[in-house]
Amino acid sequence: MTSVTRPPSSEPAPADLTVIQVSVSDPRVRPLLRELGHEYSTRYGKDAHAELARYPDEEFTPPRGGVLLLLLEDGEPVAGGAFRRYDGATAELKRIWTHSAHRRRGLARRVVAELEREAAARGYRRIYLTTGPRQPEARGLYLATGYTPLFDTEADPETIGPLPFEKHLTAADRGRAVAIEADATPADAIEADQARPDHARPDHARPDHDDLASLKVVPTRHYARWAAALAVLVVSVQFLHGLVTNPVWQWRVFGEYVLSETIVTAVGVTLQLTAYSMLLGFTLGTVLAFMRLSASPVLRTVAWTYVWIFRSIPMIVQLVFWFNLGALYRELGIGIPFGPVFWSVSSNDLIGTIGAALIGLSLHQAAYCAEIVRGGVLSVDQGQLEAAAALGIPRLRQIRRIVLPQAMRAILPTAGSEIISLLKGTSVVYVMAIGELFYQVKVIYGRNGMVIPLLMVATAWYVFLTSVLSVAQYYVERHYARGAERTPPPTPPERARRFLAGLRAAATQRRRPAAPLGGGHG
């Protein structure tokens, strides 16, 4: 915690207020979080208070370019606010709050002014913020304090959503920030100046870069990189040439079988095995992941043992074992443990060939999915749960609304690779004589001897299916990255459209006649 002495402010606020910097975990911040959470829930719905857990606590600490301020009166917090780093020159205001017992005293104006001065002292040149469409008092505050609305003020706020504002800090704001820093010790001033970027320093302290404009800029030459790229291109062209001209590939046979009814039906079986195994595997894996994170030693031990065993046994061994389950248990029944059985059925009747394959694939997949989900949950900052607990959010809702949406960013890349691996791994069930893609290809080339073209049929289908899954994974990851990336990178179609638009603009520019040298009419 740091106590800061400020110069007199022009805003109408009491003179005996103390401005302090605190962390989110400070007990004096709890009234702020509690009242903000209640206000969000009252105005936007019961789950709206999860917005307070959207950003990690570290975002509001000086090392990460942020700060959290409280205004104390007689030692008690009466108002507060924070900002976080939005980009290199912009701070984003968050969590502006006035205690319900101290409204209409100009405290919110004082908080905004203090945050602006603190942002200017840290080198920011612009303030950005958003407020909800159902908070007219906040909208009025920002308009009254000189913020520019980045939306149509005549439109219905409900049709806009979050209302964005911005304000460029003036030289006067930065001058006040320098005046504040003048009270610091020499050691503090030296440390702050060394950590400050060039654009944040006073004009007299900036390094002189004018001479750099006269220097000739020579691009870096990457000879080794060019040589490696040329070698890769030569090898690639040579491979493609052989792919087209080598008669052993027998592309006519490939074209005959690639869309045949037998192969398309086998592809359907492969997709069914993948979909069902993925659904069952991730469902069981999620349960196992939370068992491993449980406080119960029994649940942790059982989950760890399951993961250890099923990751240790090869998939083909598990499939053969489940295929021969009837040899170990002739009947499966329901009854009292170690007592009478009320109902039983033959194992072979209950678990057929497809059932044995699904059990083997799902149980094997669950062991890996458990570790993927557990790693994603552990990647969520612990402060998110602490903030949610401080707001009184039930544990299950914390997991559903706060933990899992953030964990998905860490889960999806590995989960997508695991699903693609499962799609290809279904080929192992050929040992159980199930008519999936690889088994049918194997049967066909066993009859006609066309091994190479039939293997290319299977390869083409696997490449096509994994490509579709990869594209789906890309867009799902992009969807869950919205909370962390305000401007996601353009998609491949968007890049292609921009490239074509650039080509058209360049062609138009070349066709356009040169403008006359004279600017007037004669």
Side-chain angles (χ1 to χ4, degrees):
M1 182 191 74
T2 305
S3 179
V4 182
T5 303
R6 302 292 187 186
S9 175
S10 60
E11 284 77 10
D16 56 349
L17 292 175
T18 303
V19 184
I20 62 171
Q21 295 182 20
V22 295
S23 64
V24 178
S25 59
D26 192 296
R28 288 170 292 188
V29 181
R30 291 175 184 170
L32 182 152
L33 296 176
R34 184 170 56 250
E35 289 205 358
L36 280 178
H38 175 72
E39 181 176 347
Y40 290 165
S41 299
T42 302
R43 300 195 186 196
Y44 300 103
K46 63 179 181 179
D47 293 329
H49 54 255
E51 168 68 18
L52 293 176
R54 178 178 179 182
Y55 300 104
D57 297 346
E58 290 76 12
E59 297 253 347
F60 303 102
T61 58
R64 296 284 293 273
V67 75
L68 175 59
L69 299 182
L70 285 183
L71 269 61
L72 301 184
E73 186 176 47
D74 299 328
E76 295 297 325
V78 294
F83 65 75
R84 58 184 287 274
R85 184 183 185 274
Y86 185 78
D87 58 38
T90 307
E92 181 182 13
L93 297 193
K94 305 292 292 184
R95 302 178 181 177
I96 308 300
W97 162 82
T98 302
H99 195 285
S100 56
H102 298 273
R103 302 282 169 87
R104 302 186 182 278
R105 296 176 55 190
L107 297 178
R109 284 174 175 255
R110 175 70 180 273
V111 170
V112 172
E114 297 293 343
L115 289 172
E116 290 175 359
R117 282 192 281 269
E118 189 66 35
R122 297 180 183 278
Y124 293 112
R125 293 176 174 270
R126 174 176 173 262
I127 299 291
Y128 173 82
L129 63 91
T130 58
T131 188
R134 301 176 187 174
Q135 294 172 272
E137 70 284 359
R139 174 179 173 176
L141 168 67
Y142 300 130
L143 290 174
T145 51
Y147 281 80
T148 302
L150 303 178
F151 58 93
D152 183 4
T153 56
E154 301 298 327
D156 181 5
E158 292 289 345
T159 64
I160 301 175
L163 309 178
F165 292 84
E166 72 169 357
K167 182 178 184 179
H168 293 275
L169 298 178
T170 63
D173 295 321
R174 294 192 288 274
R176 286 195 294 268
V178 172
I180 294 171
E181 290 180 338
D183 293 335
T185 64
D188 293 337
I190 293 173
E191 181 180 357
D193 185 68
Q194 291 175 345
R196 185 182 300 170
D198 289 347
H199 71 79
R201 299 183 182 183
D203 294 338
H204 66 273
R206 296 183 187 177
D208 186 8
H209 298 296
D210 293 339
D211 294 339
L212 297 179
S214 62
L215 297 178
K216 181 181 179 181
V217 179
V218 179
T220 304
R221 293 175 173 82
H222 305 281
Y223 298 108
R225 185 186 304 173
W226 297 342
L230 180 61
V232 170
L233 286 175
V234 170
V235 173
S236 301
V237 171
Q238 187 173 9
F239 173 76
L240 292 174
H241 178 266
L243 201 64
V244 173
T245 60
N246 192 334
V248 179
W249 292 110
Q250 302 183 63
W251 293 111
R252 181 186 60 80
V253 178
F254 171 86
E256 179 183 346
Y257 283 99
V258 69
L259 294 177
S260 64
E261 182 180 355
T262 302
I263 295 299
V264 172
T265 303
V267 170
V269 175
T270 298
L271 291 176
Q272 290 181 38
L273 288 172
T274 303
Y276 295 146
S277 301
M278 176 188 69
L279 180 62
L280 296 174
F282 270 95
T283 301
L284 179 58
T286 302
V287 174
L288 290 169
F290 283 100
M291 287 174 63
R292 286 205 63 184
L293 296 172
S294 170
S296 169
V298 175
L299 296 180
R300 289 201 309 269
T301 303
V302 170
W304 181 89
T305 304
Y306 179 95
V307 173
W308 168 56
I309 290 176
F310 280 87
R311 289 200 305 180
S312 302
I313 303 174
M315 183 188 293
I316 193 169
V317 175
Q318 296 182 42
L319 290 173
V320 174
F321 175 83
W322 290 108
F323 185 68
N324 293 279
L325 182 64
L328 185 62
Y329 299 103
R330 296 186 180 278
E331 291 185 346
L332 297 176
I334 299 176
I336 299 175
F338 310 105
V341 176
F342 304 129
W343 176 84
S344 63
V345 65
S346 171
S347 299
N348 291 330
D349 294 337
L350 181 63
I351 303 175
T353 305
I354 294 291
L358 285 177
I359 291 174
L361 292 171
S362 301
L363 295 181
H364 177 83
Q365 199 68 21
Y368 292 91
C369 295
E371 292 300 282
I372 293 172
V373 174
R374 185 174 70 93
V377 172
L378 291 177
S379 70
V380 179
D381 187 82
Q382 186 64 25
Q384 302 282 292
L385 293 176
E386 294 175 356
L391 294 171
I393 302 176
R395 179 68 177 174
L396 289 179
R397 188 178 297 173
Q398 292 178 27
I399 294 173
R400 181 171 56 89
R401 302 286 296 182
I402 297 174
V403 175
L404 286 181
Q406 297 183 71
M408 289 299 288
R409 290 200 69 215
I411 292 172
L412 280 173
T414 312
S417 299
E418 194 66 25
I419 293 171
I420 291 173
S421 177
L422 174 62
L423 172 69
K424 298 180 294 184
T426 56
S427 60
V428 180
V429 303
Y430 82 93
V431 298
M432 306 168 70
I434 295 176
E436 49 79 43
L437 178 58
F438 182 71
Y439 177 80
Q440 291 293 7
V441 165
K442 187 172 180 294
V443 168
I444 294 173
Y445 75 62
R447 291 199 306 260
N448 60 20
M450 304 292 185
V451 177
I452 298 299
L454 266 301
L455 287 178
M456 284 302 298
V457 168
T459 301
W461 273 108
Y462 282 124
V463 169
F464 172 74
L465 295 175
T466 55
S467 300
V468 172
L469 289 177
S470 298
V471 171
Q473 176 185 349
Y474 170 81
Y475 282 99
V476 173
E477 288 183 16
R478 180 183 173 87
H479 171 78
Y480 280 99
R482 292 180 303 174
E485 299 178 1
R486 293 185 177 273
T487 55
T491 62
E494 291 173 348
R495 291 193 183 99
R497 285 196 294 269
R498 291 181 184 179
F499 177 75
L500 294 176
L503 292 180
R504 286 195 296 268
T508 303
Q509 187 67 26
R510 285 195 299 269
R511 291 194 301 268
R512 184 177 300 168
L517 295 177
H521 297 279

